[in-house]
Amino acid sequence: LLVFTDLDGSLLDHATYDYTPAMDWLARLKKDAVPLIINTSKTAAEVMVLHQRLGLGSPFITENGASIHLPASWCLDETPDERGWADIVLGESYRRIRSVLEAIRSTERFRFRGFGDFSIEEVAEHTGLDSQGAELAHLREASEPLIWEDSEEALERFRLLLIGAGLSLTRGGRFYHVLGDNSGKGRAIAWLVDRYHLLKGQRPLTVGLGDGPNDVPMLESVDRAVLICGEHDLPVSIVDTVQLYTTTQKGPAGWSEGLDHWLG
Ligand code: 2M8
Ligand code: MG
Ligand code: MG
């Protein structure tokens, strides 16, 4: 069994980033040695802090699937660095994403602002993170969160121009996110499921929990999906899987409700 989870609006409260309502399930997964695999739009620097606080030994996925971080026990021919981690990059580099965004903005005159245009203080303002947290969120490696300040029509043109440049656009709780089109939360799960198969000789049962449009590819690539209600209230019909449970509670309370449903 592998449990994949989004963070903001799922394991963490959308506004306060609190996870206390999930504590019982976190302890239970740890006791049963079930890997809890974080799958988020956050950066590796942000996740590393939480991963340590939760005492996890599992891999994790960052920047909407653009990069996978393996502890030594999940490595095959990868060599872990001095901190004991090997990074697999599925997406495009932050530098390339920024240069495409700047080129599109200067030719099309679209109105948007990304984290690369923000100071740390502005990231803190827009996310509600403290300045330390905002600094870690600013350390992007393979995706750019942005605020769209232009029309819906312009957004659709923007999306097509990104596709033409080998990039894609998805949406989290607060921001749009630009990343390589060969990444995404679903791709990263498929990669880790294959790796598990190679290591253990069998395919795992998978559970996935998320709340945003960017989680749809995750919910579609697991055996048992939990759609946590929240900021977007996504229609169930957009998730193409039969094994879907939709929660009545938000954030970490909904997260626990979803695990009660499938594993309780
Ligand atoms: C951004 O991601 C969230 C996740 O859904 C969003 O779009 O609302 C990311 O920049 C992440 O790094 C950051 O921690 C988070 C804070 O709200 O916002
Ligand atoms: Mg979320
Ligand atoms: Mg997220």
Side-chain angles (χ1 to χ4, degrees):
L1 172 64
L2 297 178
V3 176
F4 292 91
T5 186
D6 172 49
L7 290 179
D8 294 350
S10 300
L11 177 58
L12 308 180
D13 180 86
H14 173 78
T16 64
Y17 304 107
D18 174 46
Y19 58 84
T20 41
M23 297 283 251
D24 286 352
W25 263 108
L26 289 170
R28 185 160 156 199
L29 294 176
K30 188 174 289 176
K31 184 175 127 276
D32 296 344
V34 175
L36 175 63
I37 302 179
I38 291 172
N39 192 356
T40 177
S41 33
K42 291 185 190 289
T43 62
E46 292 180 278
V47 176
M48 202 60 95
V49 175
L50 182 70
H51 198 268
Q52 277 172 7
R53 192 181 308 146
L54 296 176
L56 300 175
S58 42
F60 58 91
I61 301 163
T62 54
E63 302 203 40
N64 271 310
S67 114
I68 301 175
H69 307 270
L70 300 176
S73 56
W74 281 67
C75 289
L76 281 174
D77 47 16
E78 300 84 7
T79 314
D81 61 17
E82 59 296 339
R83 304 157 314 150
W85 291 93
D87 302 335
I88 312 290
V89 178
L90 299 180
E92 294 280 349
S93 71
Y94 186 64
R95 180 207 272 261
R96 158 126 213 286
I97 293 170
R98 278 300 306 187
S99 77
V100 169
L101 287 176
E102 270 151 35
I104 292 180
R105 181 160 54 190
S106 74
T107 54
E108 301 288 326
R109 307 262 159 227
F110 290 142
R111 278 169 291 125
F112 65 83
R113 283 179 302 153
F115 276 25
D117 305 307
F118 288 156
S119 63
I120 306 290
E121 293 68 40
E122 287 171 308
V123 172
E125 247 166 64
H126 287 287
T127 58
L129 295 168
D130 61 21
S131 64
Q132 240 174 339
E135 203 163 313
L136 301 178
H138 204 256
L139 291 172
R140 316 303 306 183
E141 291 176 325
S143 70
E144 176 70 329
L146 56 87
I147 295 176
W148 189 254
E149 295 164 328
D150 213 316
S151 67
E152 284 297 308
E153 204 187 330
L155 181 66
E156 284 323 301
R157 230 167 29 165
F158 178 59
R159 192 189 295 280
L160 293 177
L161 289 166
L162 290 176
I163 292 170
L167 301 179
S168 64
L169 186 68
T170 185
R171 188 172 198 176
R174 293 184 171 82
F175 305 101
Y176 285 96
H177 297 258
V178 177
L179 66 154
D181 67 2
N182 51 339
S183 42
K185 291 188 179 198
R187 288 280 175 94
I189 288 183
W191 197 101
L192 280 172
V193 165
D194 283 346
R195 173 53 55 96
Y196 181 96
H197 196 178
L198 283 173
L199 290 168
K200 310 269 181 188
Q202 58 181 41
R203 295 192 79 78
L205 174 74
T206 53
V207 176
L209 305 101
D211 72 311
N214 57 338
D215 295 315
V216 172
M218 161 158 68
L219 301 182
E220 289 178 340
S221 35
V222 292
D223 304 310
R224 311 262 190 277
V226 178
L227 177 59
I228 298 172
C229 78
E231 301 318 302
H232 291 286
D233 286 331
L234 302 176
V236 170
S237 58
I238 74 164
V239 183
D240 187 15
T241 168
V242 276
Q243 298 280 36
L244 178 70
Y245 175 73
T246 306
T247 68
T248 57
Q249 302 168 83
K250 288 184 169 194
W255 192 86
S256 296
E257 181 191 331
L259 289 183
D260 283 342
H261 178 83
W262 289 124
L263 306 176

